[in-house]
Amino acid sequence: MRRPFVCGNWKMHKTIAEATAFVHELLAAPSLGAGAVDIAIAAPFTALAALEPILAGSRIALAAQNMHWAESGAYTGEISAPMLAELRVRYVILGHSEPREYLGETDASINKKIRAALAHGITPLVAVGETQEEHDAGRAIERVVHQTRAAFAGIAPHDVAKCVIAYEPIWAIGSGRVCTAEEANHTMGAIREALPALCDARILYGGSAKADNVAGLCAMENIDGALVGGASLTVGPFVDLITNAGSSS
């Protein structure tokens, strides 16, 4: 049985002081000790070094929001897998819709990043999703299956099986809109079937997931948790979301 997983993606939020204060408060939350859900926080690069010693030995894994595929080089402003591994980063979000849209991320570059992360013992959390236009045209499944197969092209099945997928309908991110649990489950089932190696992989829902809808989402056969944006920025709502995600397991 796949264990539920919630990853908070802070995006471009929180200074080092704000990040450390948040994590101390989160670790002190009594209901966090139930242990039914795996938890990660994808903090900004600037906060990773400060959070690593605080989270060491806790239930909360450290995640990064992106990385470059190269080990090192003339890539101003970029971060490499060895740099993240040194900070004991366990997960890295790759292929999020925002880098795809704003930074020119492509399926080919995501594939190279997945390979680099795996080579350094970091678990890729690979995001796929369709636009409003694609969704309205009935092309959601076609789009996410293509993205999934392109992301993992040429990667050994045993490595693909180590990864986590996040289905994020782009039209739902930060909009307050959310797929119905049934629609999300159907699309995520198609992602799971896109490659045999994903049959037991964890697939998360991302796109306006909140405490009041996450239990219904996680009750679905193909939904194993959530990649959470805005609802991960405040401790109380984030703890409630984690608790509710575990209630359906």
Side-chain angles (χ1 to χ4, degrees), residues 10 13-17 19-20 43-53 62 87:
W10 287 350
H13 294 283
K14 299 194 185 298
T15 63
I16 294 173
T20 54
F45 291 132
T46 51
L48 293 176
L51 295 184
E52 188 277 325
L62 194 58
L87 294 174

Side-chain angles (χ1 to χ4, degrees), residues 15 29-30 32 44 52 54 63 97 117 121 147 164 195 228 240:
T15 63
L32 202 66
E52 188 277 325
I54 301 172
S97 63
Q147 288 176 323
V164 179
L195 294 169
V228 185
D240 289 343

